[in-house]
């Protein structure tokens, strides 16, 4: 029995898996390490490569080398063959998502994480194994790839057509090679690419990183992709694109989108640096993103037997659909405005007491007026000792204010100095609050500065107090005269304009207990808004991922 097994194993010829020449960057590398880093062998473990080396399947300069730790030299020609443990793919029970099948073909949705067909080191759990169990008639075809006429990467999901008999396979294979098949993919990519684009760039082996493909002007094979941007999130971090490929190069979409600076989310091979930075910023989204977010959504071809035009659509799986919800701006950015003395700071303080991060423009200005701070330097350079007597003194705020009242041109000049610095601080504040559900910025001149148009907040809350009550509080608590209050008011929009330009108005009667209750109500209201927005985004995204929205489907007549 042992002799029979040995002979049976020896009777199966190993397949050539890699042939190449050692380059300068690999001088002195171990043979197993060199081979394991080759793109052609990336799906095999290093231990499997070592097993093949010890079995005598590795050649260096035409000689068998059986030691994995053998050191290779520049210019060495290295070959490695692999031997499957089985003589052919074996039937194996597994889940198949079948959309259509007849005597000639089966159309299905491949799940992410499933390899299409067996190969050395991946002999079980493939799509072919499952197909053989469901369709025994495939046993009479190719030993390892029965019925396979096109492939998807292991971690790419979506539509595939498989031939159930040899005649159908030949027809389909010819149609694929002659580009008579319409394939449209949906992808989630980093950043916001232009609305529409054509990527005509040859794809070949990466010149220095052998585990990757790349756009290679010399030696690459022509590759053409068209894409349309369907959606982009408000922060500019994520976009949904539809991609139609006119050629079928290895990793074509992944390479092309990376080439234009917008790699696919979840792709740890292409755009690795961007993916790593994104994962740190969005840990929850990164936990569910264990593959590249690429889905073969639409497939159109002629039936190999009847000639009928066959069209199929598959919406992306759940991990793809959930990602934009997890990626949506996690922080609801709220600006608080109001007339001087209306209670902006009081409301902000109540929210801060509930754990809400709060930004205060007035506090930032005070910091900027401190000795050596940015605004201090600008004022010192522009006006000398007019508002700063000594280098160790802060800005004379009272003297500056009086001068701004008397000289409108000076006021505008100072505002032009201060506002960009406060705006920069506000942007940094929002950036630091990206993982918060809610953050608040109290900025008295938010509306007047045009910051709403700059999208520096998601919504604006106006704290409003009746004029007489507000004037009494200004005079009683702050010692602000009626004339001075009128000056402060004149620098801002009117009370009516602020109310009408705001999303929410919080009425302040001056009663602290009532304001405490209104702060609680406001938090509940803001939470309900976040929930509604999430639901609306989910509905919008499902619509965008429907067949009705695919541009290349509409251009070819739809389903």
């Amino acid at each position: 029995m042992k002799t029979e097994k040995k002979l049976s194993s020896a009777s199966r010829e190993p397949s050539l898996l890699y042939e190449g020449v050692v380059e300068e960057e690999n001088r002195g590398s171990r043979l197993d390490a060199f081979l394991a880093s080759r793109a052609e062998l990336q799906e095999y473990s290093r231990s499997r490569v070592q097993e093949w080396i010890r079995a005598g399947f590795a050649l260096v300069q035409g000689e068998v080398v059986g030691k994995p730790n053998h050191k290779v030299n520049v210019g060495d020609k290295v070959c490695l063959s692999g031997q499957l443990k089985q003589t052919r793919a074996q039937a194996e029970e597994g889940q198949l998502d079948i959309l259509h099948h007849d005597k000639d073909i089966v159309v299905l949705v491949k799940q992410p994480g499933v390899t299409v067909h067996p190969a050395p080191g991946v002999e079980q759990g493939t799509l072919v194994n499952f197909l053989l169990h469901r369709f025994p008639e495939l046993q009479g075809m190719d030993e390892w790839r029965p019925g396979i006429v096109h492939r998807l990467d292991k971690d790419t999901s979506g539509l595939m057509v498989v031939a159930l008999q040899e005649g159908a396979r030949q027809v389909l294979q010819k149609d694929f090679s002659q580009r008579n098949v319409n394939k449209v993919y949906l992808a989630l990519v980093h950043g916001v690419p232009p609305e529409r684009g054509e990527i005509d760039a040859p794809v070949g082996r990466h010149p220095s990183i052998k585990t990757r493909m790349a756009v290679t002007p010399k030696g690459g094979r022509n590759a053409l992709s068209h894409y349309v941007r369907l959606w982009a999130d408000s922060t500019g971090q994520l976009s949904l694109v539809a991609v139609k490929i006119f050629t079928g190069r290895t990793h074509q979409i992944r390479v092309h989108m990376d080439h234009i600076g917008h790699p696919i989310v979840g792709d740890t091979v292409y755009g690795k640096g961007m993916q790593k930075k994104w994962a740190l910023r969005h840990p929850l989204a990164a936990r569910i993103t264990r593959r590249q977010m690429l889905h073969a959504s639409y497939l159109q071809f002629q039936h190999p037997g009847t000639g009928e035009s066959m069209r199929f659509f598959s919406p992306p799986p759940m991990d793809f659909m959930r990602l934009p919800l997890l990626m949506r701006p996690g922080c609801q950015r709220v600006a608080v405005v109001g007339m001087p003395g209306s209670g902006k700071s009081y409301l902000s303080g109540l929210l801060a007491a509930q754990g809400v991060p709060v930004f205060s423009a007035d506090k930032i200005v005070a910091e900027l007026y401190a000795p050596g701070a940015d605004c201090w330097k600008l004022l010192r350079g522009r006006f000398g000792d007019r508002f700063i007597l000594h280098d160790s003194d802060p800005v004379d705020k009272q003297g500056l204010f009086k001068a701004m009242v008397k000289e409108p041109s000076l006021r505008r000049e100072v505002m032009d100095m201060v506002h960009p610095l406060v705006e920069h601080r506000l942007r940094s504040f929002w950036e630091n609050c990206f993982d918060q559900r809610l953050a608040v910025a109290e900025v008295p001149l938010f509306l007047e500065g045009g910051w709403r148009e700059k999208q520096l907040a998601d919504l604006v809350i106006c704290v409003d107090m009746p004029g007489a009550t507000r004037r009494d509080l200004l005079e009683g608590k702050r010692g602000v005269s009626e004339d001075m209050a009128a000056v402060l008011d004149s620098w801002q929009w009117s009370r009516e304009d602020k109310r009408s330009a705001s999303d929410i108005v919080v009425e302040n009667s001056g009663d602290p207990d009532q304001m405490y209750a209104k702060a609680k109500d406001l938090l509940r209201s803001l939470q309900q808004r976040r929930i509604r927005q999430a639901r609306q985004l989910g509905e919008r995204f499902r619509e965008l991922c429907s067949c009705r929205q695919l541009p290349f489907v509409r251009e070819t007549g739809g389903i």
Side-chain angles (χ1 to χ4, degrees):
M1 292 294 290
K2 290 183 179 179
T3 302
E4 290 178 1
K5 287 185 177 180
K6 187 174 182 179
L7 288 173
S8 175
S9 175
S11 67
R12 295 194 294 275
E13 291 294 329
S15 302
L16 181 64
L17 301 177
Y18 172 78
E19 182 177 11
V21 177
V22 178
E23 298 177 344
E24 178 63 37
E25 64 189 53
N26 298 115
R27 179 192 294 272
S29 296
R30 286 172 53 116
L31 177 61
D32 59 344
F34 169 76
L35 288 169
S37 68
R38 303 303 90 185
E40 294 88 340
L41 304 173
Q42 61 181 326
E43 61 184 299
Y44 312 124
S45 67
R46 186 166 173 175
S47 61
R48 177 55 63 92
V49 170
Q50 292 173 342
E51 179 184 326
W52 288 328
I53 294 172
R54 294 191 183 98
F57 295 156
L59 300 177
V60 179
Q61 294 294 85
E63 299 291 332
V64 174
V65 174
K67 294 183 178 181
N69 64 352
H70 173 83
K71 299 296 177 61
V72 297
N73 295 313
V74 176
D76 282 351
K77 181 180 179 181
V78 179
C79 300
L80 180 70
S81 298
Q83 188 179 58
L84 290 161
K85 295 180 180 179
Q86 303 166 354
T87 57
R88 64 182 306 121
Q90 302 297 309
E92 181 183 345
E93 187 173 0
Q95 183 178 357
L96 292 173
D97 185 0
I98 295 174
L99 302 183
H100 168 88
H101 80 89
D102 54 43
K103 66 181 183 64
D104 294 316
I105 61 171
V106 56
V107 179
L108 53 83
V109 180
K110 187 188 86 67
Q111 300 303 312
V114 177
T115 302
V116 172
H117 59 73
V122 187
E123 299 174 26
Q124 295 179 328
T126 74
L127 184 66
V128 162
N129 296 122
F130 304 155
L131 284 166
L132 285 168
H133 182 271
R134 177 66 175 80
F135 302 100
E137 57 267 38
L138 287 170
Q139 292 285 359
M141 300 174 69
D142 183 277
E143 293 179 342
W144 297 108
R145 306 178 189 181
I148 300 301
V149 294
H150 68 123
R151 294 186 296 175
L152 296 176
D153 293 341
K154 176 182 176 181
D155 288 328
T156 298
S157 56
L159 290 165
M160 289 186 63
V161 57
V162 178
L164 294 180
Q165 49 94 2
E166 184 61 22
R169 187 193 67 79
Q170 292 178 2
V171 173
L172 285 172
Q173 197 165 55
K174 181 179 179 181
D175 283 344
F176 272 92
S177 65
Q178 294 182 350
R179 306 177 187 176
N180 293 327
V181 178
N182 187 16
K183 295 177 287 184
V184 182
Y185 294 72
L186 287 171
L188 290 169
V189 301
H190 291 289
V192 182
E195 186 175 350
R196 181 182 290 263
E198 175 184 290
I199 311 171
D200 187 358
V203 172
R205 192 69 59 196
H206 193 287
S208 59
I209 307 174
K210 300 304 181 181
T211 57
R212 295 176 51 180
M213 307 297 288
V215 169
T216 52
K218 294 184 178 180
R221 302 178 67 188
N222 69 299
L224 177 63
S225 306
H226 288 182
Y227 77 86
V228 174
R229 191 186 76 230
L230 302 176
W231 170 86
D233 78 336
S234 61
T235 64
Q237 297 180 69
L238 180 73
S239 295
L240 171 69
V241 295
V243 185
K244 179 178 179 179
I245 58 173
F246 296 85
T247 49
R249 308 304 176 215
T250 301
H251 299 173
Q252 178 173 323
I253 296 177
R254 298 164 64 188
V255 170
H256 272 177
M257 295 311 297
D258 181 45
H259 177 64
I260 65 171
H262 299 282
I264 295 174
V265 173
D267 196 335
T268 57
V269 176
Y270 304 99
K272 185 176 181 180
M274 192 175 294
Q275 175 66 23
K276 184 177 181 180
K277 188 180 297 184
W278 171 84
L280 291 173
R281 184 178 177 85
H282 299 279
L284 179 59
R287 279 200 292 273
I288 73 161
T289 310
R290 301 186 178 184
R291 65 174 184 107
Q292 64 265 9
M293 292 291 103
L294 181 61
H295 178 74
S297 196
Y298 178 75
L299 182 63
Q300 183 272 326
F301 60 94
Q302 284 191 324
H303 191 284
T306 66
E308 177 187 0
S309 180
M310 308 289 288
R311 296 180 175 92
F312 296 91
F313 172 79
S314 167
M318 187 59 69
D319 60 347
F320 191 107
M321 301 298 288
R322 287 182 62 198
L323 188 61
L325 296 178
L326 296 173
M327 274 283 295
R328 75 184 192 279
C331 181
Q332 186 181 33
R333 304 172 306 162
V334 175
V336 176
V337 301
M339 301 302 292
S342 60
K344 302 183 296 297
S345 298
Y346 188 70
L347 176 64
S348 298
L350 291 173
L351 297 177
Q354 298 297 316
V356 178
V358 172
F359 172 96
S360 169
D362 289 342
K363 290 181 180 179
I364 295 300
V365 171
E367 293 175 6
L368 292 170
Y369 283 173
D374 290 342
C375 198
W376 183 94
K377 292 178 180 177
L378 291 173
L379 291 170
R380 182 72 158 168
R382 174 67 179 86
F383 300 107
D385 60 1
R386 182 178 179 186
F387 305 114
I388 304 169
L389 293 178
H390 305 97
D391 288 346
S392 59
D393 291 340
V395 173
D396 178 6
K397 290 188 289 185
Q398 289 187 353
L400 180 62
F401 178 76
K402 290 178 180 179
M404 290 168 64
V405 171
K406 293 180 179 179
E407 304 175 43
S409 60
L410 183 144
R411 179 175 66 84
R412 288 191 292 270
E413 187 175 356
V414 171
M415 292 298 184
D416 289 342
M417 291 181 185
V418 175
H419 281 198
L421 297 173
V422 177
E423 178 182 338
H424 175 73
R425 294 286 191 95
L426 177 58
R427 290 183 183 275
S428 298
F429 173 75
W430 293 140
E431 184 76 14
N432 292 332
C433 291
F434 73 89
D435 59 347
Q436 300 288 329
R437 293 185 182 276
L438 169 66
V440 169
E442 179 197 341
V443 184
L445 299 180
F446 186 89
L447 295 171
E448 291 83 347
W451 289 7
R452 179 160 199 163
E453 289 72 21
K454 292 182 179 181
Q455 298 183 337
L456 288 178
D458 300 312
L459 69 158
V460 177
I461 294 174
C462 176
V463 181
D464 187 58
M465 179 181 284
T469 306
R470 183 169 64 87
R471 284 192 296 272
D472 289 344
L473 288 174
L474 280 173
E475 187 174 356
K477 289 188 175 182
R478 300 189 188 180
V480 178
S481 67
E482 186 173 345
D483 290 342
M484 188 60 66
V487 170
L488 292 173
D489 286 356
S490 70
W491 291 357
Q492 302 194 18
W493 285 6
S494 69
R495 175 188 174 194
E496 292 74 19
D497 287 343
K498 281 183 181 286
R499 287 178 63 101
S500 62
S502 300
D503 300 286
I504 299 174
V505 176
V506 176
E507 307 286 358
N508 181 10
S509 65
D511 186 322
D513 292 335
Q514 287 185 5
M515 280 298 289
Y516 179 81
K518 289 184 177 183
K520 288 282 191 178
D521 291 341
L522 178 62
L523 288 174
R524 284 191 290 269
S525 175
L526 292 173
Q527 181 184 39
Q528 290 169 359
R529 278 176 176 257
R530 293 195 296 270
I531 293 172
R532 285 198 302 271
Q533 289 172 351
R535 288 174 179 169
Q536 290 169 358
L537 175 58
E539 293 171 359
R540 172 64 175 152
F541 202 71
R542 281 192 293 274
E543 173 63 20
L544 289 170
C545 290
S546 69
C547 190
R548 292 188 298 276
Q549 296 294 326
L550 283 182
F552 303 112
V553 173
R554 294 198 301 269
E555 292 167 8
T556 55
I559 289 182

